[in-house]
């Protein structure tokens, strides 16, 4: 028997999931109070900053700061003059471009190298920089839909006492320490979980080094 003119009024109950991306960056997640994770992997990747030709914007100055801190030989002391020579060497190696050299804040980098956290890094048993990760997160806000979240851990180290420390550089021009904490709490919580899964141990300290404030902020 055929029925003509009938209409289906059924509506898919999870419409908000239709356009959910397969992968999202950790920095895009505003709040995820209930997170469950399963590992995909944690691996090192290399920066290829000099492959692009561009005018240096504010955001790219932050990327430059990250690049310099990645390339520096942690464990040694640098004078300001040595830093300038090091940056010029990166230009000669075509890792950065001429217009980028002029935009690098040598003083901010030098201040970090004089900081207490850098002193701990110099004495660390193990130091790892620029680690990429991708983890599956089951998020309450997305109806507990599992989403692959990817990100980049700036640095982690195991200090001389055996403490595992996660450190993230932030180059925002934000004066309020509380605002920085609120802005990046969720992102760094994801980084912490990714690192704990990868190393199968607890992260003892999570902190931000705010280059604008020249200050270490614990979360």
């Amino acid at each position: 028997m055929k029925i003509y003119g009938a209409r289906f009024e059924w509506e898919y109950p999870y419409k908000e999931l239709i356009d959910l991306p397969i992968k999202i960056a950790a920095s895009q997640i505003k709040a995820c109070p209930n997170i469950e994770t399963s590992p995909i992997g944690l691996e090192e990747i290399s920066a290829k900053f000099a492959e692009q030709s561009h005018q240096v914007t504010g955001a790219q100055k932050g990327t430059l700061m990250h690049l310099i801190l990645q390339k520096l030989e942690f464990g040694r002391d640098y004078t300001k003059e040595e830093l300038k020579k090091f940056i010029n060497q990166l230009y000669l190696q075509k890792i950065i471009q001429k217009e980028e050299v002029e935009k690098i804040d040598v003083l901010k980098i030098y201040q970090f190298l004089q900081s207490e956290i850098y002193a701990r890094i110099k004495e660390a048993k193990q130091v790892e920089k620029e680690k990429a990760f991708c983890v599956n997160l089951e998020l309450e806000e997305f109806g507990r839909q599992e989403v692959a979240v990817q990100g980049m851990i700036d640095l982690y180290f195991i200090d001389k006492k055996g403490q595992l420390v996660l450190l993230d550089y932030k180059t925002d021009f934000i004066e309020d320490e509380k605002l920085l904490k609120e802005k990046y709490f969720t992102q760094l919580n994801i980084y912490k979980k990714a690192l704990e899964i990868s190393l199968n141990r607890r992260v003892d300290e999570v902190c931000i080094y705010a280059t604008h404030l020249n200050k270490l902020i614990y979360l």
Side-chain angles (χ1 to χ4, degrees):
M1 180 177 65
K2 295 182 179 180
I3 302 176
Y4 296 95
R7 294 195 308 167
F8 288 96
E9 299 295 339
W10 179 81
E11 185 175 0
Y12 181 58
Y14 304 109
K15 290 187 296 182
E16 71 278 7
L17 302 180
I18 293 173
D19 297 321
L20 193 66
I22 296 173
K23 283 188 179 181
I24 56 177
S27 57
Q28 292 177 317
I29 302 176
K30 301 302 181 185
C32 41
N34 296 295
I35 301 175
E36 294 182 9
T37 61
S38 58
I40 295 178
L42 184 68
E43 59 183 354
E44 186 171 4
I45 66 171
S46 299
K48 295 183 179 179
F49 192 79
E51 290 183 357
Q52 303 175 9
S53 177
H54 53 260
Q55 296 297 316
V56 182
T57 65
Q60 287 162 341
K61 288 179 185 178
T63 303
L64 272 171
M65 177 75 75
H66 280 77
L67 178 64
I68 300 303
L69 292 173
Q70 178 201 354
K71 296 293 184 182
L72 281 172
E73 183 185 339
F74 279 16
R76 62 166 288 188
D77 294 310
Y78 290 86
T79 64
K80 291 178 186 176
E81 287 305 313
E82 286 172 335
L83 274 178
K84 290 176 183 177
K85 289 179 181 178
F86 174 80
I87 291 167
N88 188 59
Q89 193 63 33
L90 293 181
Y91 164 65
L92 294 175
Q93 294 171 359
K94 299 183 179 180
I95 294 173
I96 57 178
Q97 299 174 19
K98 184 176 180 180
E99 63 268 25
E100 293 166 347
V101 172
E102 299 167 355
K103 300 298 182 181
I104 295 170
D105 193 330
V106 175
L107 178 59
K108 292 295 184 186
I109 297 170
Y110 180 74
Q111 288 174 329
F112 170 73
L113 297 178
Q114 299 301 306
S115 68
E116 184 178 336
I117 191 66
Y118 183 69
R120 289 180 66 188
I121 293 170
K122 285 197 298 181
E123 297 178 340
K125 297 178 180 179
Q126 179 182 349
V127 179
E128 300 289 345
K129 301 180 187 178
E130 298 297 314
K131 293 291 182 176
F133 71 86
C134 189
V135 293
N136 289 332
L137 299 184
E138 192 174 279
L139 304 179
E140 182 76 29
E141 66 183 289
F142 293 134
R144 304 203 68 81
Q145 172 80 1
E146 193 172 83
V147 182
V149 181
Q150 57 190 8
M152 175 78 74
I153 294 174
D154 288 339
L155 182 144
Y156 72 85
F157 65 94
I158 299 175
D159 71 8
K160 63 182 182 180
K161 296 180 180 179
Q163 298 284 95
L164 177 57
V165 182
L166 170 61
L167 176 64
D168 199 74
Y169 314 122
K170 295 303 179 190
T171 57
D172 310 58
F173 288 91
I174 297 177
E175 300 287 345
D176 192 324
E177 184 177 320
K178 184 180 177 182
L179 286 178
L180 271 174
K181 286 183 178 182
E182 291 174 352
K183 181 176 180 180
Y184 293 111
F185 177 82
T186 298
Q187 179 187 349
L188 289 179
N189 189 36
I190 292 170
Y191 287 7
K192 175 177 178 287
K193 288 178 181 295
L195 190 55
E196 288 177 335
I197 290 167
S198 175
L199 301 183
N200 194 29
R201 62 162 291 178
R202 182 172 67 91
V203 172
D204 298 294
E205 297 177 21
V206 180
C207 47
I208 289 171
Y209 182 81
T211 58
H212 177 59
L213 300 176
N214 185 30
K215 187 173 183 180
L216 187 70
I217 301 169
Y218 287 94
L219 273 70

